[in-house]
């Protein structure tokens, strides 16, 4: 019995003349992801990706790893056989024996991509269904609401038998839609926004602003861990850690208190854009959520983004907090995000922040600062940290 994993692609099939480029990116991501687990043959035919393991390859581990590869919408563990009705029926009996014994009802669905196969899809389903019913008479046939669906695919190279597929990560292959930088704090929102943009095929460079000694080394380690938790989805990343203490102290000493957070955000945007341009990135990703805090009103976001030429991507802007928390739990970052280590956004927080500023007001409030010198100093002190998923990347 030839154990194999079948992967169904999603939006890639709509890409027309660019489709092959997206397919090759996805195949490359899959091969790289599996390279730490053993030797696998990965290829695509008729919009389905096939993963075959050499002797000793861990197919269970590969199956789990592939659930987190963006660009795949469904994953099936399958077995292959020759394209013969009896071989297919016998394979279904043996390969899905445990599933059949657990189920109370079943049906068979067939797909015949190889039109030279002598039976129609309906005929093949009926034949295999009859054979299964005879072999497992206690399992009822139910074509409307079965507990188990047996899938048969007759393709160019072989016939494949599998049970219901499990959902994949969806989205687009990481790297297929360019590069962006992502502002990564220690909170709940920014890891989720990073994940959401990676899911659209963007390779991310996380940026963290660190204000030692106002924020602790533990706070920094927390953000590094958040980035590591994202790598099974986003791939290996290089985090840029920006020394931010002097900038915040200058803002505290020379600017009106009500504008502290807005001016801080403007510096973050300037520095993020410089890092983006140095790395060929085309956008800045933030975890902002409209109306969640004082700096996330439309007027406040306009004033902080006024310093930029690059677009800002805000995937969370219209989401409820409950929806964001649910996603954080799904991707595995929530428990780390709620650890009680504060980040730089909580340093020198104004008692009465300005919520609806004009751009001119904020520019006047930061006029006492040597903006270019402070940005240059921060960029000169960048710390680069390679982030790698410890289990498989």
């Amino acid at each position: 019995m030839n154990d194999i994993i079948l992967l169904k692609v999603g939006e890639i099939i709509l890409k027309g003349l660019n489709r092959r480029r997206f397919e090759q990116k996805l195949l490359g991501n899959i091969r790289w992801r599996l390279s730490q687990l053993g030797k696998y043959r990965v290829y695509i035919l008729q919009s389905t990706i096939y993963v075959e393991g050499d002797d000793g390859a861990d197919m269970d581990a590969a199956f789990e790893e592939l659930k987190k590869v963006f660009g795949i919408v469904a994953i099936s563990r399958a077995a292959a056989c020759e394209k013969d009705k009896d071989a297919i029926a016998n394979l279904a009996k043996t390969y899905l024996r445990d599933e059949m014994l657990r189920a109370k009802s079943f049906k068979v669905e067939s797909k015949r991509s190889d039109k030279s196969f002598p039976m129609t899809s309906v005929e093949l389903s009926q034949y295999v269904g009859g054979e299964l019913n005879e072999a497992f008479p206690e399992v009822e046939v139910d074509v409307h609401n079965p507990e188990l669906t047996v899938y048969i695919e007759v393709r160019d190279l072989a016939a494949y038998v599998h049970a219901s597929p499990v959902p994949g990560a969806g989205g687009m292959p990481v790297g297929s839609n360019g590069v962006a930088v992502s502002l990564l704090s220690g909170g709940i929102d920014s890891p989720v926004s990073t994940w959401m943009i990676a899911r659209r095929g963007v390779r991310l460079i996380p940026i963290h602003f660190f204000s030692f000694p106002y924020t602790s080394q533990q706070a920094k380690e927390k953000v590094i861990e958040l980035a590591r938790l994202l790598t099974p989805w986003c791939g290996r990343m290089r985090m840029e850690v920006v020394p931010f203490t002097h900038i915040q102290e200058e803002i505290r000493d020379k600017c009106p208190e009500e504008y502290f957070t807005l001016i801080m955000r403007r510096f973050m945007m300037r520095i993020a854009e410089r890092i983006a341009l140095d790395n060929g990135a085309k956008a800045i990703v933030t975890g902002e959520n409209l109306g969640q805090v004082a700096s996330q009103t439309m007027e406040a976001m306009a004033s902080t983004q006024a310093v930029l030429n690059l677009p800002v991507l805000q995937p969370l802007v219209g989401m409820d907090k409950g929806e964001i928390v649910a996603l954080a739990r799904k991707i595995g970052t929530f428990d780390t995000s709620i650890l009680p280590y504060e980040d730089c956004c909580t340093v020198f927080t104004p008692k009465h922040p300005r919520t609806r500023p004009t751009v001119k007001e904020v520019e006047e409030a930061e006029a006492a600062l040597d903006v270019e010198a402070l940005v240059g100093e921060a960029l000169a002190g960048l710390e680069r940290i390679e982030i790698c998923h410890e289990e498989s990347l």
Side-chain angles (χ1 to χ4, degrees):
M1 192 185 311
N2 183 15
D3 194 19
I4 195 169
I5 298 173
L6 303 180
L7 309 174
K8 304 295 184 181
V9 301
E11 297 176 55
I12 289 176
I13 62 175
L14 305 176
K15 292 301 178 181
L17 296 177
N18 292 323
R19 177 172 165 178
R20 181 167 175 77
R21 178 175 68 84
F22 285 88
E23 288 177 345
Q24 291 304 309
K25 176 61 70 174
L26 178 55
L27 290 173
N29 290 350
I30 292 169
R31 290 175 181 133
W32 179 78
R33 185 66 61 87
L34 296 179
S35 63
Q36 303 299 316
L37 300 177
K39 292 185 178 180
Y40 300 84
R41 184 182 176 216
V42 181
Y43 56 95
I44 187 168
L45 289 171
Q46 297 173 313
S47 301
T48 296
I49 295 174
Y50 300 77
V51 178
E52 299 176 352
D54 288 352
D55 290 342
D58 191 336
M59 297 298 282
D60 293 331
F63 189 82
E64 292 302 313
E65 198 70 30
L66 291 168
K67 290 179 182 178
K68 296 181 179 180
V69 176
F70 291 131
I72 299 168
V73 297
I75 308 174
S76 303
R77 192 77 173 266
C81 67
E82 60 183 294
K83 292 183 284 186
D84 172 81
K85 66 176 184 177
D86 292 319
I88 295 169
N90 289 332
L91 179 60
K93 294 175 194 177
T94 55
Y95 187 66
L96 298 179
R97 180 178 182 275
D98 291 343
E99 286 85 348
M100 289 294 297
L101 291 174
R102 286 193 296 265
K104 294 180 180 179
S105 60
F106 83 101
K107 74 172 181 178
V108 178
E109 286 191 6
S110 300
K111 182 178 180 179
R112 184 178 60 111
S113 300
D114 179 2
K115 302 305 181 185
S116 66
F117 188 74
M119 302 174 74
T120 67
S121 296
V122 173
E123 289 170 343
L124 181 59
S125 293
Q126 291 173 339
Y127 179 76
V128 175
E131 292 291 305
L132 288 171
N133 188 232
E134 184 175 330
F136 304 94
E138 68 282 4
V139 187
E140 179 185 350
V141 176
D142 184 347
V143 297
H144 299 295
N145 296 293
E147 195 173 301
L148 171 67
T149 300
V150 175
Y151 292 91
I152 299 169
E153 300 186 35
V154 181
R155 293 181 165 272
D156 287 349
L157 299 180
Y160 302 90
V161 173
H162 61 89
S164 298
V166 301
M172 301 290 291
V174 170
S176 62
N177 282 325
V179 181
V181 298
S182 181
L183 274 58
L184 188 64
S185 71
I188 296 171
D189 296 348
S190 61
V192 175
S193 64
T194 300
W195 180 89
M196 290 181 71
I197 294 300
R199 191 170 184 263
R200 298 310 306 156
V202 179
R203 188 167 297 282
L204 277 309
I205 300 170
I207 300 174
H208 178 61
F209 294 88
F210 184 49
S211 293
F212 185 82
Y214 302 105
T215 55
S216 66
Q217 183 64 28
Q218 289 171 309
K220 177 181 172 183
E221 293 298 327
K222 170 185 172 180
V223 177
I224 293 172
E225 174 63 10
L226 286 171
R228 190 193 67 78
L229 291 170
L230 289 169
T231 56
W233 309 91
C234 304
R236 183 183 288 114
M237 298 186 291
R238 188 189 70 221
M239 176 184 287
E240 304 275 3
V241 180
V242 180
F244 208 51
T245 306
H246 187 206
I247 289 175
Q248 290 193 283
E249 290 175 336
E250 285 286 290
I251 295 171
R252 176 199 61 189
D253 294 342
K254 297 180 180 178
C255 300
E257 182 183 357
E258 63 182 325
Y259 294 100
F260 281 1
T261 302
L262 295 170
I263 296 171
M264 176 193 73
R265 295 286 298 176
R266 282 164 65 90
F267 271 96
M268 288 180 172
M269 294 295 183
R270 291 182 178 107
I271 293 167
E273 184 170 65
R274 291 278 292 274
I275 294 172
L277 294 174
D278 289 344
N279 289 276
K282 305 299 183 184
I284 298 169
V285 181
T286 75
E288 290 167 303
N289 179 251
L290 187 62
Q292 182 171 253
V293 295
S295 63
Q296 294 177 10
T297 64
M298 284 191 282
E299 293 88 346
M301 287 192 283
S303 70
T304 57
Q305 294 175 25
V307 300
L308 295 173
N309 291 308
L310 289 180
V312 178
L313 307 181
Q314 300 167 299
L316 310 185
V317 72
M319 295 178 67
D320 292 337
K321 192 65 176 183
E323 294 171 322
I324 299 170
V325 168
L327 264 178
R329 292 185 186 278
K330 172 185 174 180
I331 66 178
T333 57
F334 179 78
D335 289 341
T336 300
S337 290
I338 62 174
L339 292 174
Y341 307 123
E342 297 180 330
D343 59 36
C344 71
C345 294
T346 62
V347 176
F348 311 134
T349 303
K351 294 180 181 178
H352 303 288
R354 184 86 160 120
T355 58
R356 303 194 183 280
T358 65
V359 174
K360 183 178 180 182
E361 288 172 351
V362 182
E363 289 174 344
E364 291 173 350
E366 72 177 10
L369 303 174
D370 188 341
V371 172
E372 282 304 310
L374 289 170
V375 169
E377 177 188 328
L379 290 169
L382 283 179
E383 178 188 5
R384 294 180 171 89
I385 302 174
E386 295 292 333
I387 309 293
C388 184
H389 181 40
E390 63 184 15
E391 294 178 2
S392 60
L393 298 182

